[in-house]
Amino acid sequence: MLTTRAQRPIAVVALALAAVLTPAVVSPAAAAPADMPEPPPAAVAREELGKLTVEAPHSMDGYARAKFPHWAQQGNKCDTREIVLRRDGQEVTQDNECRAVSGTWKSLYDDKVLTSASQVDIDHMVPLANAWRSGADGWTTDRRKAFANDLEHSQLIAVSAASNRSKGDQSPDQWSPPSSAYWCAYARAWTDVKHLYRLSVTQPEKDKIASMLDTCA
């Protein structure tokens, strides 16, 4: 089961939809989206990291992205992707189908500024295949759906398509954001998601996360 902080989907969806339906003006010069869920501070992340089970990756037998249904409808024609585009973007406008038709997005992975939603991917901080290898292979479909559409925690982030595809399903010891300025937040978010969903890590993964947490001021 998820920990207590992961059990507030109704309130989260309501807040997310309010953000979608209520126009807001955000400065294009802002360094980071104001409404992205903030991962715990480094001290808490280190405690969470110490509690994670260290084990070899599970088999990929049976894996399919379709076993993590996304993007889920969230009401008012908005799916999870469109909510994250609105949340993480600046001066985003959407049409009557909830599709982002204009806006600006700062990709924190590689510091790129994107001016079209078509340039933006919604990345799963802990990739679906990585989750499968670290425990999601034993989950129900409903739990995998909740994981793939988690708007409450730092599991979803709008980034450049190039950085998302470069990352693929790799763990931090295999891939880390090109912008080292984001390593602290990345390690905090990765650790928190794994902790919340009781997913395991490999030893090289744990070691790399620890070194990334050392970059936190």
Side-chain angles (χ1 to χ4, degrees):
M1 294 179 62
L2 305 186
T3 63
T4 301
R5 285 199 297 135
Q7 295 174 337
R8 301 193 294 267
I10 296 176
V12 170
V13 170
L15 288 172
L17 288 174
V20 169
L21 299 174
T22 304
V25 176
V26 183
S27 169
D35 296 329
M36 266 179 48
E38 181 70 16
V44 175
R46 288 188 180 96
E47 291 179 4
E48 293 180 342
L49 182 62
K51 296 176 181 177
L52 297 180
T53 299
V54 178
E55 63 181 15
H58 298 191
S59 170
M60 287 296 289
D61 288 351
Y63 170 75
R65 285 179 64 84
K67 292 186 177 181
F68 294 78
H70 65 290
W71 302 112
Q73 287 295 315
Q74 303 287 359
N76 292 331
K77 301 182 180 180
C78 297
D79 63 20
T80 305
R81 171 181 164 82
E82 296 300 340
I83 286 179
V84 177
L85 284 172
R86 175 67 184 87
R87 183 197 72 190
D88 289 3
Q90 301 157 6
E91 298 185 332
V92 176
T93 59
Q94 293 171 299
D95 63 18
N96 291 334
E97 299 298 318
C98 199
R99 294 172 298 203
V101 295
S102 66
T104 303
W105 293 265
K106 172 71 176 291
S107 172
L108 299 178
Y109 285 0
D110 51 10
D111 292 329
K112 291 183 178 178
V113 176
L114 313 169
T115 57
S116 170
S118 64
Q119 301 172 314
V120 182
D121 276 3
I122 307 305
D123 180 49
H124 290 96
M125 176 64 64
V126 175
L128 306 182
N130 182 282
W132 180 273
R133 292 192 297 270
S134 53
D137 54 337
W139 292 355
T140 64
T141 299
D142 284 345
R143 192 177 187 192
R144 287 194 287 260
K145 180 178 181 180
F147 176 82
N149 296 276
D150 188 346
L151 291 165
E152 182 178 1
H153 306 102
S154 302
Q155 167 63 346
L156 300 175
I157 180 173
V159 297
S160 69
S163 66
N164 183 45
R165 293 164 197 182
S166 172
K167 172 182 173 179
D169 65 355
Q170 299 177 94
S171 54
D173 56 302
Q174 301 164 324
W175 185 94
S176 52
S179 174
S180 58
Y182 195 62
W183 283 12
C184 172
Y186 190 84
R188 288 158 50 212
W190 182 284
T191 303
D192 191 47
V193 170
K194 286 233 161 171
H195 178 259
L196 287 165
Y197 285 90
R198 300 183 182 178
L199 296 170
S200 62
V201 290
T202 65
Q203 190 61 56
E205 177 185 351
K206 183 177 182 179
D207 292 344
K208 179 63 175 182
I209 293 169
S211 68
M212 293 174 78
L213 288 172
D214 287 342
T215 68
C216 298

